[in-house]
Amino acid sequence: MLEHLELFFRSIFVDNMVFAVFLGMCSYLAVSKKVSTAVGLGAAVIFVLGVTVPLNWLLDKYLLQDGALVWLGPEYADYDLSFLSFILFIATIATMVQLVEIVVEKFSPSLYNSLGIFLPLIAVNCAILGGSLFMQTREIPNIGLALNYGVSSGIGWFLAILAIAAIREKIRYSNVPAPLRGLGITFIITGLMGIGFQSFGGMLTGDNEPPEETQNTTVETKEDKEIKKEIDDTEKAVSYNEAVNK
């Protein structure tokens, strides 16, 4: 349970797709002029990441990894299909995006028209593909954590685009210097928000346990042992002579 919570909060705040690795910036900047469209696209990203990351985990676990085909028989244990990762991951993402596009067009035509070309472009959104690739490189151990990582990464991207959309709606009525209007002030705000999100890392990376004490162990060489033996023999001889003299 603790592992799930740590992964959830880390994916939202510390490893945020926008503020930590700057993925999905094209749609983040283009669709963040209104809160309504930002909410729609953010919800679509959450759904796509929540579905594609665990699906791609299954593909990676039972098809792509070195020796993953052993379940077909021992003769397939040496097969490595990891070179197909990009193709299969993108195919899975494109399928889910097509499903989302059909549903949005059916039940919310206004949102579909507002999102325009950026809805089908989720298929090539680097944040979506990045979620599956990060899942693969981090070697997430089970499908439950993969689902957790996909949903939490989507929520992190959703919070980022929602926050910048709300700020851009308000800043429209502010007296922004002419050279900074538009994308200029948006990039500055994004950088400041990234600093704010990164500050949450202390909650997860802090360590209150004292460092373990290291034991200094010395290895005696052969020469050290001989010198020690000579000293002991000398001390014994001196003690014997003193006893005889007495």
Side-chain angles (χ1 to χ4, degrees), residues 12-243:
I12 293 177
F13 298 108
V14 182
D15 298 331
N16 188 280
M17 286 289 185
V18 175
F19 300 132
V21 288
F22 302 105
L23 295 180
M25 293 295 293
C26 49
S27 51
Y28 166 81
L29 295 172
V31 192
S32 59
K33 296 179 181 179
K34 293 183 180 180
V35 172
S36 57
T37 55
V39 169
L41 185 63
V45 168
I46 292 175
F47 174 79
V48 173
L49 275 172
V51 174
T52 57
V53 170
L55 283 179
N56 287 333
W57 183 90
L58 292 173
L59 288 175
D60 184 59
K61 180 72 174 179
Y62 297 105
L63 186 63
L64 299 175
Q65 290 182 5
D66 186 14
L69 295 176
V70 69
W71 56 276
L72 292 175
E75 63 273 16
Y76 297 98
D78 295 330
Y79 283 77
D80 184 6
L81 301 179
S82 57
F83 62 93
L84 296 174
S85 296
F86 280 91
I87 298 175
L88 292 181
F89 286 178
I90 293 175
T92 304
I93 292 169
T95 303
M96 290 299 104
V97 170
Q98 188 65 33
L99 177 62
V100 170
E101 186 177 0
I102 293 172
V103 172
V104 172
E105 185 179 10
K106 176 69 175 179
F107 294 100
S108 182
S110 59
L111 177 60
Y112 179 81
N113 294 328
S114 299
L115 294 176
I117 190 63
F118 294 100
L119 183 57
L121 281 180
I122 294 178
V124 291
N125 190 335
C126 50
I128 307 297
L129 181 60
S132 296
L133 293 178
F134 287 147
M135 171 273 300
Q136 186 183 45
T137 56
R138 294 178 183 182
E139 299 179 352
I140 292 180
N142 56 63
I143 192 171
L145 286 174
L147 175 62
N148 185 345
Y149 178 70
V151 173
S152 57
S153 297
I155 293 174
W157 197 91
F158 171 79
L159 291 177
I161 193 172
L162 179 63
I164 195 64
I167 293 174
R168 291 182 74 177
E169 279 193 352
K170 297 296 182 182
I171 210 171
R172 190 180 306 166
Y173 306 103
S174 302
N175 186 18
V176 180
L180 296 179
R181 290 174 187 170
L183 290 179
I185 192 66
T186 304
F187 276 116
I188 293 174
I189 295 172
T190 300
L192 295 174
M193 291 171 62
I195 295 173
F197 269 65
Q198 292 299 304
S199 65
F200 289 100
M203 296 190 304
L204 300 174
T205 58
D207 188 5
N208 295 325
E209 297 181 359
E212 297 181 357
E213 295 182 358
T214 57
Q215 296 180 354
N216 295 326
T217 58
T218 58
V219 180
E220 292 183 349
T221 63
K222 187 177 181 179
E223 295 179 356
D224 294 336
K225 291 181 179 179
E226 291 178 355
I227 294 173
K228 187 176 181 180
K229 184 178 180 181
E230 291 178 0
I231 293 174
D232 292 337
D233 293 339
T234 303
E235 291 178 352
K236 290 179 180 178
V238 171
S239 301
Y240 177 76
N241 292 332
E242 290 177 354

